[in-house]
Amino acid sequence: MATYTVHAGHAKDGNSYSGAAGYCKESVEDRLIKDAVVKYLRAAGHTVQDCTVDQGQSQSGIITEIKKKINSCTGATANISIHLNASRKASVDGKIKGVECEVYSNTGQTSEMANRICKKIGALGFTNRGVKERTDLGVLKGITNGGVNILVECFFCDDEDDYKFYQKIRPNAIGQAIAEGILNQNIKPQTGWIEQSEKWYFYYEGQPMTSSWIHDARGNWSYLTADGTAVMSGWQEIDCKWYYFDSNCYMQASEWIEYKGKWYYLQDDGSMATDCYIKSKDKDIYYWVNTDGVWMPEWNTSKPNTSKYRVLRG
């Protein structure tokens, strides 16, 4: 198996020299894409060194530190630098500017791999702008570990068409395309959970699921929002009902929960109970929850008005 280095360009968001920005930030999205590339290369059995540098005193200083990390990985097959492109901010015009790869010399194995990467990302729906020679880029010069060096400009962060399309396919798809281009082989579309930047997503055959309920073999239910993120550690309104999810993204049900000093009851289907009585499991007492779902202890009773209000079994 081979060894690869992969890094996200520029400093981390919030620091100086953090790259381009438009409809999204390069320093945020390139790290998500980089993580996906690393994941897929490692899943294929290869060794991958993440050479990302998060801060520095200058842009050239950051590049120098990146190259130190790269050069320490002797015998690498390829060194991949992940970036987003930018030119001038453009609103929707129906034209996706797309992907390009930049290399020091567009020859041999470097050219072959760079063209494969462009074609793979182009196959997702981005315009393939091809491979360009850039002898002025510091990250493409002075690499001595034996690998080919490719800078991938995944899409234009200041083009609204590019950004909207990127939102649909998400970083995982681009990361997979880059890994497939590097390895010159198809990677089976993934079905399962993926963590990115401390958020969880569920993919079905390589595509992110959105606005959907899913459950595992143990009967645990999770909800994926419109942007694909799983609800975690808090409340979520879904179809005019409120649900509570724990830190594992699992919906809670058939239990009382305390939230910010107030108590709520979650029904068998997980939805928050409102305007009803909850029968105690072991006492002859009925607890009242109001319109906001909050338990009102002063209204506890042993004789609920069942002709007017619902009674749930707690």
Side-chain angles (χ1 to χ4, degrees):
M1 292 298 179
T3 297
Y4 298 92
T5 77
V6 183
H7 71 269
H10 305 288
K12 188 176 182 179
D13 183 42
N15 296 305
S16 299
Y17 315 107
S18 58
Y23 292 97
C24 62
K25 295 180 179 180
E26 179 178 17
S27 57
V28 173
E29 306 306 326
D30 67 355
R31 280 161 170 74
L32 297 178
I33 296 169
K34 175 264 299 179
D35 289 345
V37 176
V38 171
K39 176 189 67 177
Y40 279 110
L41 291 176
R42 286 176 176 167
H46 300 285
T47 299
V48 185
Q49 295 296 324
D50 185 342
C51 296
T52 303
V53 172
D54 285 338
Q55 60 184 356
Q57 297 300 314
S58 65
Q59 182 60 36
S60 61
I62 293 171
I63 293 173
T64 297
E65 292 304 311
I66 290 172
K67 290 197 291 187
K68 285 181 181 179
K69 289 187 174 185
I70 292 172
N71 286 331
S72 70
C73 300
T74 56
T77 297
N79 309 296
I80 308 299
S81 183
I82 306 297
H83 290 255
L84 301 189
N85 218 333
S87 56
R88 58 182 180 81
K89 197 166 186 179
S91 56
V92 172
D93 60 7
K95 299 177 181 179
I96 296 175
K97 289 182 179 176
V99 58
E100 65 186 40
C101 283
E102 296 171 348
V103 299
Y104 188 84
S105 177
N106 192 13
T107 58
Q109 292 182 344
T110 300
S111 178
E112 292 173 5
M113 185 180 292
N115 274 289
R116 291 198 304 264
I117 292 171
C118 282
K119 288 179 180 178
K120 283 290 185 178
I121 297 179
L124 297 175
F126 286 106
T127 301
N128 181 356
R129 298 166 61 89
V131 180
K132 298 181 179 180
E133 287 191 349
R134 292 288 302 272
T135 59
D136 59 314
L137 296 178
V139 76
L140 297 177
K141 298 186 291 185
I143 305 299
T144 60
N145 67 0
V148 302
N149 306 303
I150 300 172
L151 187 153
V152 186
E153 298 277 18
C154 299
F155 65 92
F156 281 76
C157 67
D158 58 355
D159 185 89
E160 192 171 4
D161 291 288
D162 280 46
Y163 176 60
K164 286 189 172 182
F165 186 70
Y166 169 69
Q167 285 184 302
K168 292 181 180 179
I169 64 170
R170 304 200 61 80
N172 188 73
I174 295 180
Q176 179 177 339
I178 293 172
E180 289 182 342
I182 293 169
L183 300 177
N184 196 22
Q185 67 182 52
N186 291 328
I187 298 173
K188 183 179 179 180
Q190 186 173 5
T191 294
W193 288 100
I194 294 175
E195 184 182 17
Q196 294 177 336
S197 296
E198 300 181 350
K199 295 182 180 180
W200 285 93
Y201 302 84
F202 190 87
Y203 282 75
Y204 179 74
E205 295 185 351
Q207 296 299 315
M209 294 182 63
T210 60
S211 303
S212 303
W213 286 98
I214 60 171
H215 66 88
D216 61 19
R218 297 179 180 178
N220 296 309
W221 285 88
S222 301
Y223 185 76
L224 306 167
T225 62
D227 67 358
T229 57
V231 182
M232 178 190 297
S233 300
W235 292 99
Q236 179 72 26
E237 186 178 15
I238 305 168
D239 296 331
C240 300
K241 295 181 180 180
W242 285 94
Y243 299 83
Y244 190 84
F245 297 80
D246 68 11
S247 59
N248 294 314
C249 305
Y250 294 146
M251 180 196 77
Q252 305 300 287
S254 305
E255 64 176 306
W256 288 94
I257 64 164
E258 184 182 13
Y259 183 78
K260 294 186 177 180
K262 298 179 180 180
W263 286 89
Y264 302 81
Y265 185 75
L266 304 173
Q267 302 181 71
D268 292 346
D269 66 355
S271 63
M272 181 182 70
T274 60
D275 286 325
C276 64
Y277 291 103
I278 314 298
K279 174 66 170 66
S280 172
K281 291 182 178 180
D282 52 10
K283 298 178 182 179
D284 186 23
I285 190 170
Y286 296 79
Y287 306 109
W288 173 256
V289 291
N290 67 14
T291 303
D292 295 321
V294 179
W295 169 47
M296 308 298 289
E298 64 270 26
W299 292 353
N300 291 351
T301 182
S302 59
K303 297 180 179 180
N305 185 349
T306 57
S307 64
K308 187 176 181 180
Y309 297 105
R310 294 183 302 143
V311 175
L312 303 178
R313 301 294 173 181

